[in-house]
Amino acid sequence: MTLDPPTILALSVALAAAAALYLTIEWRSVREPSLLFWSAGFATVTLGSTLALLRSSGYLMIGIWLANGLLVTAHVLFLLGVARFTQVRLSPLWLLMLLVWLGMLMLPADLPGSKAMLAVQSLLVALPTLRASSLLRPHGKSLSVGAVQLRYVLLIHGLFYVAKALSVLIPGTLIDLAAFKGEIIQISLVEGAMAIMLIALSMTGSERYRREQQIARLAARDPLTALYNRRALDLRAPRLLAQVSPAQPGALLLIDIDHFKSVNDLHGHTAGDRLLIALSEMIRAVVPQGALAARLGGDEFVILLNPASTQQIVELGSSLREQFQQLAAQTFATPQSVTLSIGANLFDQPPSSLAVLIEQGDTTLYESKRGGRDSIRLVDRTGGSSG
């Protein structure tokens, strides 16, 4: 099969249609809006490439002006998808491209007009493509392999269209849009087919990686409070505990809500859930950077600190108790005060396991409850005294 322009265009139609269908199927599975924009972009490429075949039959208005306009529209849709993917709001000034495209109707159908149309249309494709590439720059965070690939594919694709626009300035360049004549046009057709494949694969890879990351984050979080769950704590604690030393002690605070059952019994489990969420937000607000906070289950929470000190533990525990007691008293009326009991252990040697450390915290927490609840019990295992 000879790769003449009509054949390359037919191949582009098939590739773009397949990409649009595949991205639509992906969108139906995950409902990510960026996939819908990208799918619409490839559907537009499919329609534009199909209409471009009509120019050889004499339908120049449809085959050149409308087909090229649809190609520009497709790249704007790609930009909108990237903006949604990166959560960036685009300026409404991009709508001015529509006026430029309409202005192309004023260009004559002669050779200079073909060159001018090629230059303008190429720049209209390059601008949103290069902007989409710039949106994918990592802002302090590493991008997925798919997103990095998409960034560079869009960058090369956009630069190609800039070069295509500049090519009309070269003396003697043959450009005949109606007959697909001229090296730059034939090279562009080949580049377009290759770009369709690479852009579609990169878009799919970007979204798939993000979805996998979201699933991993959800698996590590307690569904009610969004704190780490016990499994995530087990995975992350060893690294923090390994840094414990006499010069850098660590601490574990085990937190339990006193008389939590009375809230559920008198006000319902929804009220109890609201109280758990409120406590999780308080914990999230007071724990220092680098600390670990998790919900072990029920109304029991844990905070793991490194480095830590007696003063820090007392201040953190007292702050939590005061905030929580005030909130619970104002929100839920119960026969007995709903408060916090905290068992804390300060240590300067890495424990044999997190389970052993939590068991020690349980013992300390029990002593706190036995002493009257609404208190913090601290055991200093660094050689100091307990209080």
Side-chain angles (χ1 to χ4, degrees), residues 241-282:
L241 294 175
Q243 299 171 1
V244 171
S245 67
Q248 186 173 306
L252 180 137
L253 286 75
L254 207 58
I255 304 166
D256 186 81
I257 302 178
D258 304 319
H259 308 298
F260 179 68
K261 186 176 183 296
S262 62
V263 175
N264 285 331
D265 292 343
L266 294 173
H267 301 279
H269 288 277
T270 300
D273 288 347
R274 293 206 311 270
L275 196 59
L276 292 172
I277 293 171
L279 176 56
S280 70
E281 292 174 349
M282 294 176 189

Side-chain angles (χ1 to χ4, degrees), residues 257-337:
I257 302 178
D258 304 319
H259 308 298
F260 179 68
K261 186 176 183 296
S262 62
V263 175
N264 285 331
D265 292 343
L266 294 173
H267 301 279
H269 288 277
T270 300
D273 288 347
R274 293 206 311 270
L275 196 59
L276 292 172
I277 293 171
L279 176 56
S280 70
E281 292 174 349
M282 294 176 189
I283 291 173
R284 196 177 288 110
V286 299
V287 294
Q289 186 175 5
L292 293 175
R295 181 188 179 198
L296 295 183
D299 58 336
E300 195 170 54
F301 296 79
V302 63
I303 298 174
L304 197 57
L305 303 172
N306 183 23
S309 66
T310 299
Q311 180 181 355
Q312 180 187 22
I313 294 170
V314 173
E315 289 178 353
L316 189 153
S318 299
S319 175
L320 278 177
R321 286 175 46 240
E322 291 171 6
Q323 291 181 57
F324 184 81
Q325 182 180 19
Q326 184 178 10
L327 175 69
Q330 292 175 349
T331 309
F332 305 109
T334 55
Q336 297 171 301
S337 298

Side-chain angles (χ1 to χ4, degrees), residues 65 72-73 93-103 124:
W65 178 79
V72 173
T73 302
L93 292 176
W94 285 98
L95 294 175
L96 294 176
M97 294 179 60
L98 176 62
L99 296 178
V100 178
W101 175 53
L102 290 173
L124 289 178

Side-chain angles (χ1 to χ4, degrees), residues 114-172:
S114 290
K115 285 190 173 184
M117 180 171 286
L118 181 69
V120 174
Q121 183 260 345
S122 297
L123 290 176
L124 289 178
V125 170
L127 286 174
T129 306
L130 293 175
R131 178 57 177 153
S133 176
S134 70
L135 291 181
L136 288 167
R137 289 178 302 174
H139 298 282
K141 298 179 180 178
S142 60
L143 292 173
S144 68
V145 173
V148 171
Q149 180 176 312
L150 178 59
R151 176 193 172 195
Y152 285 107
V153 169
L154 290 174
L155 176 62
I156 294 170
H157 187 56
L159 291 176
F160 172 82
Y161 270 88
V162 172
K164 182 178 174 181
L166 295 176
S167 68
V168 302
L169 301 177
I170 302 174

Side-chain angles (χ1 to χ4, degrees), residues 157-288:
H157 187 56
L159 291 176
F160 172 82
Y161 270 88
V162 172
K164 182 178 174 181
L166 295 176
S167 68
V168 302
L169 301 177
I170 302 174
T173 302
L174 174 60
I175 296 174
D176 187 342
L177 295 177
F180 294 113
K181 291 183 178 179
E183 290 186 0
I184 188 63
I185 295 178
Q186 298 190 27
I187 292 173
S188 179
L189 291 172
V190 174
E191 189 275 343
M194 294 175 60
I196 289 172
M197 292 187 294
L198 293 175
I199 292 174
L201 289 173
S202 302
M203 288 173 173
T204 305
S206 301
E207 282 294 354
R208 186 164 294 169
Y209 176 83
R210 170 175 285 184
R211 188 163 70 249
E212 291 172 353
Q213 292 294 100
Q214 289 173 341
I215 292 172
R217 283 196 296 270
L218 289 173
R221 297 287 177 175
D222 172 62
L224 178 65
T225 65
L227 292 176
Y228 285 129
N229 55 28
R230 176 60 188 268
R231 178 176 177 273
L233 183 67
D234 287 339
L235 291 173
R236 288 164 173 78
R239 182 176 179 181
L240 187 147
L241 294 175
Q243 299 171 1
V244 171
S245 67
Q248 186 173 306
L252 180 137
L253 286 75
L254 207 58
I255 304 166
D256 186 81
I257 302 178
D258 304 319
H259 308 298
F260 179 68
K261 186 176 183 296
S262 62
V263 175
N264 285 331
D265 292 343
L266 294 173
H267 301 279
H269 288 277
T270 300
D273 288 347
R274 293 206 311 270
L275 196 59
L276 292 172
I277 293 171
L279 176 56
S280 70
E281 292 174 349
M282 294 176 189
I283 291 173
R284 196 177 288 110
V286 299
V287 294

